[in-house]
Amino acid sequence: MVSTEQSCWFIRKVICWRAVASIAWAVLLLPPITLVFVIISKFSFLHPVQTISECLYLLTSASGIFSFILLCGVILIVGFLHLEYYTVIPMIACSKIALLGQLLHPRQFINSLVHCFMGVIVAWCCAVTMGLRYETLGYPCTESDGHPQMCLNEYHLILLLAGAFVGFSHSLLGVIYNMNYVSFHTVQQYKYLRFKRCLPLVVKCSATQALYSVRNYIVMYLFLGKCPFFMNKISVHPLDSIAGLLDLSLLYHLWSSATFLLLTWNITLLLFRIFVTEVYSFPVQSSFTEDSHQCLPKVLTEKQPMILKFLALQDLALLSQHSPSRRCEVFSLSQPGGHPHNWNAISKECLSLLTDLTQRLVAYHDTVATNGRAKSLSSGSERKTSSETSVTSGTEDLMSPRPVFLMKTPASVFARSVAGTPQSPLTSLFTPDLDSPFASPALRRLTAPVDQCSPWYGTVQSPHIMRRAPKLWSTSTDSQVNGSPTPSPSSVPSPKQEPSKPSFLAQFLQNRKEQVLKPCHKLPEASSQALFADSQAHIWALEGLSYLVQASFSEDQFGVVQTTLPSILSCMLVLQEAVDRHFKLPHASSKPVRSTSSMGDSTYKTLRFALRATLKTAIYRITTTFGDHLNAVQISAEHRKRLQQFLEYKE
């Protein structure tokens, strides 16, 4: 019950009000943006004064005020959708079929329909603002026989459909580029400075995305645009040809309208990100029992909502660096009793986060190491049971190059083992598992019945044959020169049979099977990114723990940190070993290129690199502070050896 009340309190009093503030600022910025759009769409170099007067008249007219009210309603809906769909942990599709499932999800389908509807509204407002040939959907015209009727204004129609297309494509791109992902910046800035720094990028992204959307829309309209459903006759200037669609004035107005639409929506998204990720200071302890669920130690243990946990970890990281008074509250003892409840709760939650990431990495390594590998050759061999040992051996088998030793084993050994004769310890080592799907055709050929002409037919009697094996396979010329008798025909090895090539039909079916299953295959880069998708929380946990341990060297009067120092060091060293092993895997150490052509935040793609750097820095921060005093800490011999590398600055 306490958890529910706490979550409702935080969402109701913090997140909702921040969202309302971001929407209010977006509405306040709408008039200047609209004014710029009107000037751009109506400006004439030959009549600048007349253009300005027309713009002022349009903005104060009844149609202009009504259009502004509709635009404000659209901004409100966009802000509500951001509040409904935002996330602090990105949803990364590990395969193409998973991405398709996200795009076809019913929740996303409703979101796309709403964006289409809002795009039509914004396009109608733009058409009314631009006036002239875009103002109305129909106009009166006269038929050839003189009867008046209503004709379709295709310029207005193409503008409305362009708004729907841009809204729909913006919704789909939001899923592909994770536009609903809200990231936290490392450098803390005022909201105005962040908005000022990001505004040029938002304008650039809006103009670029509008250009690509108009290009795609023109191509689609060229093939599917001639479908008048509710009008009897098309206008005098049809747009069903390439010449009609390549009108420069039409293309310019389509692009400016799409830019205006995307700019208003992207600015609303930017303001929402800035306000929601603002730092929130939680009290470390409270004098009142009813407010204890709002304190930092209690908030850190909450799982939902995730924005609450992330803001609490961010506050912990900032507290540990810049607030000595709040650090003293963390190191304080409870009264009465004298127990370090604050430190125990904070350290326990941080260590739990780091341990959870370590277990995920070990499980991922185990999956990668055992994926597609054959069974053990010896049926009676011992198998490792611990997950750590299996992951280590599997990773070494995958990553470390080893020399290959070619051992020639007589075919009779395989033949006798298959025939069911008792196997000696020597022959069991060379006996393959023929039932395994990974057994090669060469091993199966060796188990076939041995030819009587083969030198391995029967039992080898003399040990000299094995010691003088090279002379058994020497040529006749060498034998004559050395004076040895000419070898018998049975001693000459038979030519090696080449494996039969699959038929054309089998290759065709195999290629088609791979093409069909290719969208279902997991992408290695995406799998690695999904593994570290929530690593921002672990980065803050590492920073908070390391800075608190560093400050405890001089500020911890009661020694509360020293009791958990062995656990902290062991947890960090185990995590570093798992992270280092992960970066030895393919595609894990390749840095992706950040895209600047969309509003999607791609910082999650480099979180694993930030985590590795933060982890190493956290360990160095502790070792440089305590120095040789760490030799008295009770840790395992393996961890002590690894810790000595940090003490000697060799990592």
Side-chain angles (χ1 to χ4, degrees), residues 137-138 150-153 156-157 160 227-233:
L137 183 61
M150 292 295 294
C151 294
L152 173 65
N153 183 9
H156 187 91
L157 177 64
L160 296 181
C227 298
F229 297 103
F230 52 90
M231 291 292 179
N232 297 326
K233 187 176 181 181

Side-chain angles (χ1 to χ4, degrees), residues 264-285:
T264 54
W265 293 1
N266 290 337
I267 285 180
T268 307
L269 175 61
L270 174 63
L271 290 171
F272 179 82
R273 290 176 178 175
I274 293 175
F275 275 85
V276 168
T277 58
E278 186 182 3
V279 177
Y280 187 87
S281 181
F282 295 89
V284 178
Q285 55 188 3

Side-chain angles (χ1 to χ4, degrees), residues 553 625-633:
F553 189 77
T625 301
F626 286 85
D628 294 334
H629 297 287
L630 293 177
N631 294 327
V633 179

Side-chain angles (χ1 to χ4, degrees), residues 103-116:
L103 294 175
L104 299 179
H105 195 274
R107 181 182 173 93
Q108 174 58 31
F109 180 74
I110 296 175
N111 187 21
S112 301
L113 289 181
V114 173
H115 276 83
C116 277

Side-chain angles (χ1 to χ4, degrees), residues 536 539 542 583 591 606-615:
Q536 184 61 64
I539 291 174
L542 287 169
F583 273 88
K591 273 196 174 183
T606 57
L607 278 178
R608 61 183 184 273
F609 302 97
L611 176 70
R612 181 176 62 171
T614 304
L615 178 58

Side-chain angles (χ1 to χ4, degrees), residues 111 181 201 207 289 291 307 323 360 375 431 540 577 594:
N111 187 21
Y181 168 60
L201 179 62
T289 308
D291 296 335
I307 183 68
S323 181
R360 285 189 343 221
K375 295 187 296 183
T431 304
W540 283 329
E577 182 180 358
R594 291 190 178 184

Side-chain angles (χ1 to χ4, degrees), residues 87-88 181-185 194 273 277 536 601-604:
T87 177
V88 293
Y181 168 60
V182 177
S183 65
F184 295 82
H185 287 260
R194 283 189 59 184
R273 290 176 178 175
T277 58
Q536 184 61 64
D601 197 336
S602 60
T603 54
Y604 65 89

Side-chain angles (χ1 to χ4, degrees), residues 157-226:
L157 177 64
I158 194 174
L159 199 61
L160 296 181
L161 295 179
F165 181 83
V166 173
F168 183 78
S169 61
H170 178 77
S171 176
L172 296 184
L173 291 177
V175 177
I176 297 174
Y177 293 110
N178 273 304
M179 290 187 185
N180 60 337
Y181 168 60
V182 177
S183 65
F184 295 82
H185 287 260
T186 305
V187 180
Q188 301 299 322
Q189 288 182 314
Y190 291 107
K191 295 188 289 291
Y192 169 73
L193 296 179
R194 283 189 59 184
F195 179 78
K196 181 181 177 181
R197 179 176 59 87
C198 297
L199 185 58
L201 179 62
V202 171
V203 175
K204 176 185 175 183
C205 292
S206 303
T208 305
Q209 184 180 348
L211 186 63
Y212 287 115
S213 298
V214 170
R215 180 200 63 181
N216 299 335
Y217 171 70
I218 288 297
V219 174
M220 187 191 71
Y221 191 85
L222 179 63
F223 295 99
L224 305 177
K226 196 174 181 180

